[in-house]
């Protein structure tokens, strides 16, 4: 088994063999070879095909072994049955990288799955790296490489955007859009089945690449979400990552599943993860293009106060609406700015933001007004809207906007509503112009994405607090639970584990079904709560399995008898494993903490308000690991009923810091104990005074060892 | 004062005077005249301008009075100072319609407002109709009229879409987009300041117009929302109305306000109104174009079961995701359909919906597969996605899609991801093709709009139930309250009014602050509730102003003393006007009914869940008048916590029909009594048994007569 090569094997080869090259136009074997040559690959290209002596005037080799010079990279376009043989030969020949265009692997099931496994074995034997199979190729547009190893009918411009796609088809759509907007690429990779090289490898590679300033991803499934989290959290502080993730609904996931042979990740976990990593998620390719255009052409904004400049009311209203919906603010222009604007604008114009110069404004007015607005310290970015009046060609306005923009290091977003011809000419005519959009809403969307990136970069990195468990004996307890087949832990053990991690549990006594409840009160004290216990009994209170406010022995005895009768009537007597006598918590706000384990994403933490209303409305927040102090803070504040915790209508504020700390303690606990598959603390009573907060009920499910995800 | 002409005066003139016509290119006076002539207006055109003898080879008149032939319509392009003089002259001359392009009226404030008022006076004196002022003109594209009285540099195709815009600038953007998509217009009207002709007039006119099949509106403010409601409710059953309404946020409304001189309507009321009227609301011009394209080119779907046909996985996943988010369903293809598809598609393809023919599929496969899918009764519409493989020109595929589509009366939405050139050629090359979109999400958006329209048309018209008040004496009570200056009614009167409309009020005694509460219990009975009363005391229970569960005289006396102390401590003693002794309602679910009056929209009814949680989450629904049985039903079911009313976790279902009826009773009451400005029933206890439902607390605010909106 050889150690694997770096990704340079794929992206910076000195020589490329195109195995399955063809002289016939319209075949992949022809188009790909043609692209390599036309794009000007800076190295040797060897067509390989036993049926031809030369292709496109280049000597053609019958096999890769017959090439005398060293071959770094092989592009494989042969029929699926021949891929393994060719790959083996490449391995023997010392080829360091394979881009396998051929389809017919995991995505078709059956034989394809076997074929893919065999390919993986070859990779491990020879150490070569693989892109694909079932992909549309790779591009490295860097000037001293110039490798277009795709069959897309395009010659991408060299630039700063690296793009990865899990769908070849959408890759073509993106390349077309990139060409239309005249954006420059650094890399393009269609990853296909992701047998070897996948998103995370590319993120790592592009992070180090100086040419790459923007990373754009189209994903259908996450391979290793936890590695994605680690990587993207760091990278997004330096380079924006814009992501389209599809397969979000159940039906979409079914389609994604049949397509890629993968289960789609838990959508909640995906959302939490992307948020925690500062990734800009967009929902469509169109939105992605709007956003990358802005990042490509504009400097970062330094704040969220936006100026709007226009010659027409309607579109300015639209822009303002959208700005506010995106949590951006209309800048308040200084008196000086307003006076300057007033000095040359007609009486009917409005010099307060939005600045409406009315229809008579021409190119010069746009230049002057934009200059004045950008000079105002209260303005972080400007949206300049121009609706061409009759017979005015918008080009002059764009030129003046460009001149004014150049003087300042602030982002400007032009919106020009013109005839089709104008847009077609933008890339060639206005190379240095700020980005031009067709509609106000597209400009605002892009601006909002840049502003999210700004906030993310400015936000301090969160800290993961560590908590030492106080009681080392819990280790034995958990191990034993695993050894005895896992499942729900008994309530007294749950209590001990929680207490060990600093959770304020209730004093508690557990009694077997035939135990004497009256004997159990000494450690607990009155008033107390009597609860039934049974691993299969859910919603205890609905069937009379909870009695609160028990003040003395008599009440306890009566409650116990009553409860047994009710459980009998509810038909769950056989599920009863015992009873709990428990300290009664003070009244407070009910909240829920929880954790569930996703096979791929690992532990997913949950926090929310308790109670029936909120259960139905699902007012809850999720985070994946690791959970920092900032995550905990955001989690609490992101639920809709957060004001209830702050106190409304004269209620006191509960101890919110206690909640934040509890989230972090929970994170510590689940990271210490991968054996914990599921955990619920529901409800936890939180009060203004931390010492009165209590975990009222809790469940912990332990792995049997078999379903343990590899954490 | 003359009675006004019909809108034919504007839209079907025999002769037009262009007052302010000019021979100088690039002026509005030239471009508009040029448009009229080039578009081929079917009637006489008279340029009017004292400075010229002829313009564009047509004899030019110095004034409108000097034209010998009758003049039906005058387009006024003169400077603002001359508009009134010209309009007066037109009135004297018997001109029936004016389109006033000139700006400088209400939108500039001050003198402009006066000028606009004077113009209104002239309109009333002479009876002519006005479009504008401050507009960009009108188009009637009907073949035997052919009037393009705008200055937009375009020649719109004749067709079935009528378009109205409150923003001239966005009007140009729309005309450009319409031209790009090669859609046909019936009418285009830029309404400007809406001095006379506004959206409602146009709706009425277009409803009767046979050529118009689709109505599209860009609105910034509602002139008469109640007339809009009446009109659009009927029209949308015959013709879809697609509306972009901007000015939705507070900041956007400020911008809209400075622009149009109007306050933007209450956003909640706008949303309720549009929903109740079956209007399709879109948020951007782009979305509007996606939607009108579908309505223009497709028949209506007969259901919401969608087939997806593709040659690539990625875009099909995207489409499926969006379909599900839009409440559409993936069609389940019959075994027969699947067998037929399997018969000619390669092994690797998927014949379950989405049907993925993989990349090898060509034009013939698209034609055959689409034909088979459309023939399946379980399929109501198909989205056909084509990502061109190398060297395949998508035109052939579109042709085959068109052929298959023609055989069925079902909507088909193509998504083609191709080079720019392809899209540019669509209008000319594929005249009869189903609509072609660039991205799956645009196609789904358009499909979803058509499906909403289908459901709206299929839904029976709601009935407004009428309820007679039982106690005619309430009339006197309300009148007296108005006469004595309005404000909040005393609680016993509130109770009588509510009871009279059939609401289950609590038995109640009101006592002045110094009254003897113990004397008041006879009519009420134990257990009872003691409440403080004071018009300025809100959130009574937070300051100890409510005691429930009083079982006897002793408890009552104690509660009364305690309450007085607490109110003293809360510093509200001086606000106390008395106490209420009230029947104690059974436990139930707390709900809220409410009504507030918007100056323009009239009464806005509200329903929601009660309690603190829901107050913060704002789980409420609104409707404007009239409120039908269907509205009431939808209102209850649209709140998120509706399942609580249905009963969760073993709770019994409350009497939901009681809630629906209460909404309708409330609607009756507020329509009987325009004097009621505001009403709250909060909380109302609803239980499974209607006889136990109770209005626990209620407030009614009566008009002083002055702020009475004209209902």
């Amino acid at each position: 088994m050889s150690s694997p090569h770096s990704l340079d094997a794929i992206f910076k080869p000195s020589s490329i063999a195109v195995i399955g090259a063809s002289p016939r136009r319209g075949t992949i074997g022809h188009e790909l070879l043609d692209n390599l040559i036309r794009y000007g690959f800076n190295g040797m290209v060897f067509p390989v095909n036993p049926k031809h002596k030369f292709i496109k005037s280049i000597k053609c080799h019958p096999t890769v072994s017959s090439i005398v010079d060293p071959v770094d990279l092989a592009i494989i376009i042969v029929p699926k049955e021949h891929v393994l043989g060719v790959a083996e030969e490449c391995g023997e020949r010392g080829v360091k990288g394979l881009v396998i265009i051929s389809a017919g692997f995991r995505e078709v099931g059956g034989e394809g799955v076997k074929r893919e496994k065999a390919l993986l074995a070859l990779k491990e034997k020879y150490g070569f790296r693989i892109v694909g199979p079932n992909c549309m190729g790779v591009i490295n547009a860097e000037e001293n490489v110039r490798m277009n190893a795709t069959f897309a009918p395009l010659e991408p411009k060299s630039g700063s955007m690296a793009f990865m796609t899990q769908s070849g088809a959408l890759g073509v759509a993106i390349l077309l859009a990139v060409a239309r907007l005249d954006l420059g690429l650094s890399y393009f990779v269609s990853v296909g089945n992701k047998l070897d090289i996948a998103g995370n490898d590319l993120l790592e590679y592009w992070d180090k690449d100086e040419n790459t300033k923007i990373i754009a991803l189209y994903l259908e499934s996450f391979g290793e979400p936890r590695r994605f989290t680690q990587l993207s959290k760091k990278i997004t502080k330096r380079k924006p990552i814009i992501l389209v993730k599809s397969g979000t609904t159940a039906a979409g996931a079914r389609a994604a599943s049949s397509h890629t042979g993968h289960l789609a990740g838990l959508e909640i976990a995906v959302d939490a993860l992307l948020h925690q990593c500062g990734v800009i998620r967009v929902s469509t390719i169109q939105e992605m293009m709007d956003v990358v255009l802005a990042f490509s052409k504009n400097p970062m904004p330094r704040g969220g106060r936006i100026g709007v400049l226009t010659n027409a009311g309607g579109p300015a209203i639209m822009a303002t609406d959208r700005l506010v919906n995106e949590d951006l603010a209309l800048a308040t222009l200084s008196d000086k700015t307003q006076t300057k604007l007033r000095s040359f604008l007609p009486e009917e114009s409005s010099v307060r933001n939005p600045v409406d110069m009315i229809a008579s404004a021409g190119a010069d007015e746009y230049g002057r007004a934009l200059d004045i607005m950008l000079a105002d310290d209260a303005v972080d970015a400007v949206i300049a809207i121009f609706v061409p009046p009759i017979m005015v060609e918008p080009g002059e306005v764009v030129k003046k906007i460009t001149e004014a923009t150049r003087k300042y290091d602030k982002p400007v977003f032009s919106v020009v509503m013109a005839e089709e011809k104008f847009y077609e000419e933008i890339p060639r005519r206005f190379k240095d112009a700020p980005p031009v959009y067709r509609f106000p809403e597209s400009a605002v969307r892009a601006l909002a994405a840049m502003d999210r990136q700004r906030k993310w970069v400015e936000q301090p990195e969160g800290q993961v607090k560590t908590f030492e468990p106080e009681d080392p004996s819990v280790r034995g307890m958990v191990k034993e639970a695993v050894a005895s087949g896992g499942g729900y832990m008994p309530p007294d053990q749950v209590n001990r584990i929680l207490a060990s991690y600093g959770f304020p549990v209730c004093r508690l006594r557990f009694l077997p079904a035939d135990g004497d409840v009256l004997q159990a009160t000494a450690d607990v004290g009155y008033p107390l709560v009597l609860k039934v216990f049974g691993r299969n009994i859910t919603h205890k209170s609905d069937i009379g399995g909870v009695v609160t406010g028990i003040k003395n022995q008599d009440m306890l005895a009566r409650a116990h008898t009553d409860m047994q009768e009710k459980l009998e009537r509810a038909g769950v007597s056989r599920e009863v494993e015992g009873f709990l006598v428990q300290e009664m918590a003070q009244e407070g706000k009910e909240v829920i903490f929880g954790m569930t384990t996703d096979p791929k994403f690992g532990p997913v933490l949950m926090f929310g308000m308790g109670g029936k209303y909120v259960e139905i409305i699902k007012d809850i927040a999720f985070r994946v690991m690791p959970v920092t102090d900032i995550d905990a803070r955001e989690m609490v504040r992101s639920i809709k009923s957060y004001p209830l915790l702050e106190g409304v209508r004269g209620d006191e504020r509960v101890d919110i810091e206690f909640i934040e700390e509890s989230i972090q303690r929970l994170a510590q606990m689940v990271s210490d104990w991968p054996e914990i598959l599921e955990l619920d603390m529901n409800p936890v009573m939180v009060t203004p005074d931390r010492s009165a907060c209590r975990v009222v009920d809790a469940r912990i499910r332990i792995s049997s060892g078999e379903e343990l995800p590899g954490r």
Side-chain angles (χ1 to χ4, degrees), chain A:
Chain A
M1 199 166 135
S2 304
S3 65
H5 291 280
S6 94
L7 266 61
D8 284 347
I10 302 283
F11 295 114
K12 292 174 180 166
S14 302
S15 56
I16 304 176
V18 181
I19 307 175
S22 162
R24 198 153 54 86
R25 297 196 59 159
T27 61
I28 293 177
H30 177 274
E31 299 306 313
L32 197 143
L33 180 65
D34 193 44
N35 269 347
L36 271 176
I37 296 162
R38 266 194 301 128
Y39 201 59
F41 171 60
N42 194 9
M44 288 178 285
V45 175
F46 302 105
V48 176
N49 190 330
K51 291 190 210 136
H52 300 280
K53 292 225 143 168
F54 62 90
I55 300 174
K56 297 191 87 67
S57 315
I58 309 176
K59 177 181 173 176
C60 188
H61 293 77
T63 61
V64 74
S65 333
S66 58
I67 304 172
V68 178
D69 295 277
V71 173
D72 286 347
L73 176 66
I75 318 287
I76 300 181
I77 319 174
V78 300
K80 55 181 184 284
E81 300 79 14
H82 300 146
V83 171
L84 289 176
V86 165
E88 177 106 49
E89 206 182 334
C90 286
E92 290 297 334
R93 185 68 187 74
V95 174
K96 296 179 206 144
L98 309 183
V99 173
I100 307 179
I101 308 289
S102 314
F105 291 80
R106 192 181 55 208
E107 79 281 7
V108 298
E111 281 302 309
V113 176
K114 285 188 203 157
R115 204 174 285 126
E116 192 157 319
K117 274 191 187 151
L119 195 55
L120 189 61
L122 290 177
K123 170 193 128 51
E124 304 210 323
K125 180 171 170 197
Y126 294 109
F128 50 57
R129 303 304 301 264
I130 301 175
V131 171
N134 185 27
C135 76
M136 63 158 293
V138 301
I139 295 173
N140 179 354
E142 201 192 317
E143 287 306 335
N144 55 359
V145 177
R146 300 284 303 169
M147 171 177 66
N148 179 355
T150 71
F151 50 90
L154 292 156
E155 292 188 42
K157 214 176 75 170
S158 178
S160 61
M161 183 171 105
F163 184 73
M164 186 222 102
T165 175
Q166 201 172 341
S167 155
L170 286 175
V172 176
I174 295 269
L175 285 176
L176 287 165
V178 163
R180 193 158 64 230
L181 296 171
D182 199 44
L183 293 175
L185 282 182
S186 56
Y187 288 89
F188 169 88
V189 182
S190 160
V191 290
N193 289 4
K194 306 200 284 192
L195 172 64
D196 171 20
I197 294 175
N200 288 333
D201 307 286
L202 294 168
L203 282 181
E204 227 172 341
Y205 193 68
W206 290 338
D207 183 31
K208 290 182 200 122
D209 180 60
E210 278 183 19
N211 293 326
T212 300
K213 309 260 188 276
I214 305 159
I215 297 172
L217 311 172
Y218 170 79
L219 282 192
E220 286 167 5
S221 64
F222 277 96
E224 296 176 73
R226 280 175 272 186
R227 200 169 139 225
F228 180 87
T229 308
Q230 284 166 3
L231 287 170
S232 61
K233 243 185 192 172
K234 294 222 165 60
I235 298 174
T236 48
K237 293 279 182 181
R238 296 185 282 266
K239 305 178 180 188
I241 299 181
I242 298 122
L243 178 140
V244 185
K245 162 84 174 68
S246 69
T248 55
T249 61
R254 265 207 310 283
S257 167
S258 74
H259 176 54
T260 64
H262 275 314
L263 267 175
L266 188 63
E267 186 55 17
I268 288 163
V270 171
D271 255 345
L273 181 153
L274 295 176
H275 178 85
Q276 282 170 268
C277 298
V279 172
I280 298 167
R281 186 178 193 169
V282 292
S283 37
T284 68
I285 301 292
Q286 177 104 56
E287 275 182 44
M288 171 176 267
M289 297 320 299
D290 288 344
V291 171
V292 297
L293 180 65
F295 277 108
S296 298
K297 303 244 172 191
N298 263 329
M300 285 297 289
R302 280 189 293 264
R305 301 161 308 166
I306 315 302
V308 177
L309 176 65
T310 188
N311 68 340
I317 298 171
M318 283 219 133
T320 310
D321 273 355
R322 296 266 141 180
L323 283 174
V324 174
N325 284 335
E326 294 275 10
D327 272 343
L328 292 157
L330 269 192
T332 307
L333 301 179
S334 72
D335 290 346
K336 204 174 119 197
T337 300
Q338 296 194 32
T339 309
K340 278 193 202 160
L341 288 167
R342 180 55 75 208
S343 74
F344 71 97
L345 290 176
E347 189 196 344
E348 290 89 351
S349 60
S350 161
V351 296
R352 288 181 57 195
N353 199 11
V355 176
D356 187 345
M357 305 192 288
I358 72 171
S360 55
D364 285 335
E365 282 79 9
Y366 268 89
R368 285 180 73 176
L370 181 58
D371 195 340
I372 292 166
M373 288 172 79
L374 287 172
D376 191 326
D377 286 338
V379 174
D380 296 311
V382 174
I383 296 183
I385 301 168
F386 176 62
V387 185
I390 45 163
M391 309 308 285
V392 173
E393 204 278 323
E396 284 307 309
V397 172
V398 173
K399 273 186 202 150
K400 291 287 181 184
I401 286 178
T402 308
E403 280 170 26
T405 303
R406 211 175 287 150
K407 295 168 63 181
Y408 302 89
D409 189 33
K410 293 183 182 181
V412 171
F413 301 75
S414 318
V415 178
V416 179
M417 295 176 165
E419 289 173 274
E420 204 51 34
K421 217 173 94 252
F422 167 76
Y423 301 107
E424 287 162 28
E425 292 174 0
I426 293 176
R428 275 158 298 278
R429 272 184 74 191
F430 312 108
K431 284 231 168 281
D432 308 325
V436 178
Y437 295 89
R438 286 171 192 244
F439 297 107
E441 59 267 21
S442 325
V444 173
R445 184 152 57 205
L447 170 51
M450 290 195 89
D451 192 56
R452 275 205 297 283
Q453 176 70 7
R454 170 188 69 80
K455 286 184 191 148
W456 168 253
V457 171
E458 285 173 2
Q459 176 185 298
E461 270 190 63
Q463 301 300 320
V464 176
K465 269 203 194 165
T466 53
F467 300 89
E468 280 299 314
E470 284 160 23
D471 174 3
S473 76
V474 297
R475 169 168 297 274
M477 235 158 62
V478 174
K479 293 286 172 211
E480 199 180 298
V482 174
S484 62
Y488 288 105
M489 292 188 101
D492 45 353
Q493 293 191 8
V494 170
N495 244 27
R496 271 177 60 202
I497 294 189
L498 291 178
S500 170
Y501 278 88
F503 287 101
V505 296
C506 291
R507 289 188 302 274
L508 184 87
R509 267 297 289 280
F510 175 65
L511 286 150
D514 55 0
D516 179 0
V517 291
L518 299 182
Q519 297 303 314
T521 59
D523 325 339
V524 178
Y526 293 104
L528 56 75
V529 179
L530 178 69
K531 285 188 203 173
V532 67
F533 173 74
R535 279 157 239 244
N536 298 320
I537 303 177
T538 49
H539 299 318
K540 293 188 277 281
S541 48
D542 297 351
I543 50 166
V546 180
V547 178
T548 62
I550 297 173
K551 288 180 189 146
N552 50 46
Q553 280 225 341
D554 280 1
M555 282 176 83
L556 180 58
R558 221 176 320 131
H560 187 228
T561 318
D562 275 10
M563 188 177 290
Q564 282 170 312
E565 276 170 28
K566 281 183 184 156
L567 295 170
E568 181 83 49
R569 251 178 285 144
V572 295
S573 306
R574 287 167 49 153
E575 306 291 346
V576 176
E577 296 172 47
F579 293 91
L580 293 172
V581 171
Q582 183 181 310
E583 168 193 10
M584 188 157 150
Q586 268 186 35
E587 276 292 299
K589 298 276 194 308
E590 287 185 24
V591 300
I592 308 176
F593 298 91
M595 189 277 286
T596 174
T597 309
D598 180 74
K600 263 165 114 184
F601 289 80
V604 181
L605 263 56
M606 191 264 274
F607 166 73
M609 290 298 289
K612 273 188 197 174
Y613 282 103
V614 182
E615 233 171 77
I616 283 171
I617 292 172
K618 300 204 172 40
D619 191 15
I620 43 186
F622 292 91
R623 287 294 183 277
V624 297
M625 302 287 284
V627 173
T628 67
D629 48 358
I630 291 181
D631 290 324
R633 206 184 136 78
E634 279 186 0
M635 240 176 135
V636 181
R637 280 158 185 77
S638 69
I639 64 169
K640 289 196 206 95
S641 26
Y642 172 70
L644 285 179
L645 299 174
E646 281 279 13
V648 287
R649 288 226 207 141
D651 276 9
E652 257 185 284
R653 177 183 190 273
V654 303
D655 189 335
I656 289 168
E657 292 67 33
F658 163 76
I659 300 177
E660 291 174 21
E661 196 185 297
S662 297
I663 291 170
Q664 293 172 85
R665 285 181 185 275
L666 180 59
Q668 175 77 58
M669 193 166 123
V670 302
S671 86
D672 286 355
W673 299 105
E675 291 85 352
I676 298 178
L677 288 183
E678 234 181 87
L679 180 150
D680 277 299
M681 291 187 265
N682 178 15
V684 175
M685 282 292 177
V686 290
T687 64
D689 174 10
R690 170 181 296 226
S691 69
C693 295
R694 285 290 180 282
V695 179
V696 174
D697 211 342
R699 295 199 312 171
I700 293 181
R701 190 161 73 84
I702 297 285
S703 161
S704 67
E706 281 162 23
E707 70 271 58
L708 245 187
R711 295 190 250 179

